[in-house]
Amino acid sequence: MQPEYSSLFDLALEACEHSYAPYSKFRVGAALLCEDGSVITGVNVENRSYGLTICAERNAIAAAITAGKKKFKALVIATPDADYPVSPCGACRQVISEFMPPSAPVVFGNSQNSYMTSSVGELLPHDALHELSGELGD
Ligand code: THU
């Protein structure tokens, strides 16, 4: 993995320790690099009413917003229980696009040796209503 994402990946992987995934047994950790250089992590939190599950990426973004951070430089996602890199789900792609520009890197992998580097724009092409985002314009 590129050195600039390597420590973010380690933080995302460490966060998996706190993942709450008793139903899928599929742990996910996300590390969000904020514009000020700080890193905020998130994990997936499942629920016995399955549809209420919240993905790691969305929890990281919510935690960052809660901490007063709204601009992000990169998102790195660790999925150690997969045997291939798992990209963000469709709902997360939409939420990510609210706070990160199309050029922002999104890196996802099951290990430091098995990962993909993409971008918000690649993951959500033809982004509808992009200009309505309250955060990207300022
Ligand atoms: N999950 C995430 O947290 N992020 C992803 O990018 C893919 C899916 C979670 C949701 C659920 O807890 C588990 O992984 C299996 O889908």
Side-chain angles (χ1 to χ4, degrees):
M1 186 170 291
Q2 301 99 307
E4 70 258 49
Y5 304 128
S6 176
S7 58
L8 287 170
F9 185 85
D10 284 343
L11 290 170
L13 195 58
E14 261 174 57
C16 285
E17 191 186 325
H18 302 297
S19 155
Y20 179 74
Y23 307 104
S24 71
K25 314 263 190 246
F26 189 86
R27 296 165 298 164
V28 184
L32 201 50
L33 177 61
C34 305
E35 197 176 56
D36 64 3
S38 62
V39 178
I40 303 264
T41 57
V43 297
N44 54 332
V45 178
E46 299 187 343
N47 192 275
R48 63 188 184 281
S49 176
Y50 302 145
L52 298 181
T53 290
I54 307 177
C55 294
E57 301 89 317
R58 262 179 292 156
N59 274 329
I61 288 173
I65 300 297
T66 304
K69 295 161 200 292
K70 287 187 186 151
K71 290 190 188 288
F72 312 115
K73 293 203 280 202
L75 174 65
V76 178
I77 303 156
T79 53
D81 301 319
D83 52 13
Y84 62 93
V86 175
S87 63
C89 78
C92 283
R93 294 178 193 206
Q94 179 71 32
V95 173
I96 292 164
S97 79
E98 182 77 17
F99 298 102
M100 298 176 80
S103 60
V106 179
V107 179
F108 45 92
N110 52 326
S111 79
Q112 290 262 7
N113 298 320
S114 172
Y115 68 94
M116 289 185 67
T117 303
S118 187
S119 67
V120 174
E122 276 178 356
L123 291 172
L124 194 71
H126 311 294
D127 184 6
L129 302 177
H130 186 75
E131 69 281 7
L132 293 186
S133 167
E135 286 309 323
L136 294 175
D138 56 23

